[in-house]
Amino acid sequence: QSVLTQPPSASGTPGQRVTISCSGSSSNIGSDYVHWYQQLPGTAPKLLIYRNNQRPSGVPDRFSGSKSGTSASLAISGLRSEDEADYYCAAWDDSLSGWVFGGGTKLTVL
Amino acid sequence: QVQLQQSGPGLVKPSQTLSLTCAISGDSVSSNSAAWNWLRQSPSRGLEWLGRTYYRSKWYIGYAVSVKSRITINPDTSKNQFSLQLNSVTPEDTAVYFCARGNGGMIDSWGQGTLVTVSS
């Protein structure tokens, strides 16, 4: 049971916009930044969004993040087949003094 | 560009000790701004943070409550690397283990991952 809650799956057709939610609590999302990772099969997670809504260099602006209270969202617009992957949210938890993650959302591009 | 290279056995017997090393290039284990983490990923437990070490004029180490009694993370400044030891392993510890750098309040770089299977 992951500390952060994500839907297990999401899907969309090419060109569509998809959002993935992440719900936490006052000790993690409510008090610190949210970060998002993309994981392709057999590889390590890759930082996709940091500090709620910032993109590392090289990440397309089709990817965007937002946060409100104890929840956050990742939006992917102009969906492409190469976006098919697992997506994870993460935050530092002040009560646990450690990083906590969502259970991951498997995105399927139909 | 930091790179993290993991090494260690992929098979460990139950009750024995799991040992992995993460060699750092492009940064320093003694950096005053980075933290060096171990995490693992399994279908049953998802992505799980295990612990970290970092240097801020002195060494700090923190562990996840779930493994606190069994884990040791050590920096090695002579080789610019850090290590993970997990004692008394059971099949529940079977997972892909990752080392990762924490920087600027986020985990920004990951090692390649090592599948460790606990089995006799």
Side-chain angles (χ1 to χ4, degrees):
Chain A
Q1 189 81 355
S2 300
V3 174
L4 306 181
T5 301
Q6 297 180 236
S9 64
S11 63
T13 56
Q16 268 191 331
R17 183 177 187 269
V18 170
T19 61
I20 297 171
S21 62
C22 175
S23 177
S25 69
S26 58
S27 64
N28 42 65
I29 294 178
S31 57
D32 212 321
Y33 293 115
V34 175
H35 315 289
W36 290 90
Y37 297 88
Q38 179 192 60
Q39 187 176 32
L40 299 171
T43 69
K46 168 193 163 187
L47 183 64
L48 192 67
I49 296 288
Y50 66 97
R51 293 181 199 154
N52 303 334
N53 54 20
Q54 302 299 302
R55 284 186 308 277
S57 60
V59 173
D61 60 6
R62 302 185 296 104
F63 295 90
S64 62
S66 63
K67 178 188 131 172
S68 178
T70 59
S71 294
S73 290
L74 171 71
I76 309 171
S77 59
L79 202 59
R80 303 176 67 157
S81 57
E82 57 259 40
D83 299 333
E84 196 162 277
D86 294 327
Y87 293 85
Y88 295 88
C89 57
W92 181 263
D93 192 293
D94 289 332
S95 295
L96 298 174
S97 295
W99 288 100
V100 293
F101 292 85
T105 299
K106 183 175 184 62
L107 175 64
T108 301
V109 181
L110 302 169
Chain B
Q1 177 84 350
V2 65
Q3 289 192 322
L4 304 174
Q5 182 66 39
Q6 298 176 217
S7 59
L11 181 64
V12 182
K13 288 182 167 48
S15 80
Q16 294 194 342
T17 297
L18 180 161
S19 296
L20 296 173
T21 299
C22 183
I24 303 163
S25 57
D27 201 344
S28 170
V29 72
S30 304
S31 163
N32 271 296
S33 60
W36 304 100
N37 299 266
W38 284 101
L39 306 96
R40 66 184 178 183
Q41 185 175 30
S42 66
S44 59
R45 303 175 73 98
L47 262 174
E48 181 184 14
W49 177 80
L50 300 177
R52 67 177 184 172
T53 185
Y54 57 95
Y55 186 77
R56 302 290 186 268
S57 302
K58 69 174 186 175
W59 287 102
Y60 293 85
I61 299 178
Y63 300 131
V65 170
S66 60
V67 294
K68 193 168 187 176
S69 63
R70 301 191 290 131
I71 189 173
T72 303
I73 293 176
N74 276 324
D76 182 344
T77 57
S78 66
K79 295 181 179 178
N80 200 31
Q81 62 186 29
F82 62 110
S83 64
L84 166 70
Q85 288 192 311
L86 189 64
N87 303 324
S88 305
V89 296
T90 72
E92 284 276 300
D93 295 308
T94 294
V96 177
Y97 286 75
F98 293 100
C99 62
R101 183 180 75 168
N103 188 41
M106 59 191 165
I107 293 178
D108 68 346
S109 301
W110 299 67
Q112 79 273 24
T114 302
L115 173 60
V116 179
T117 302
V118 179
S119 174
S120 54

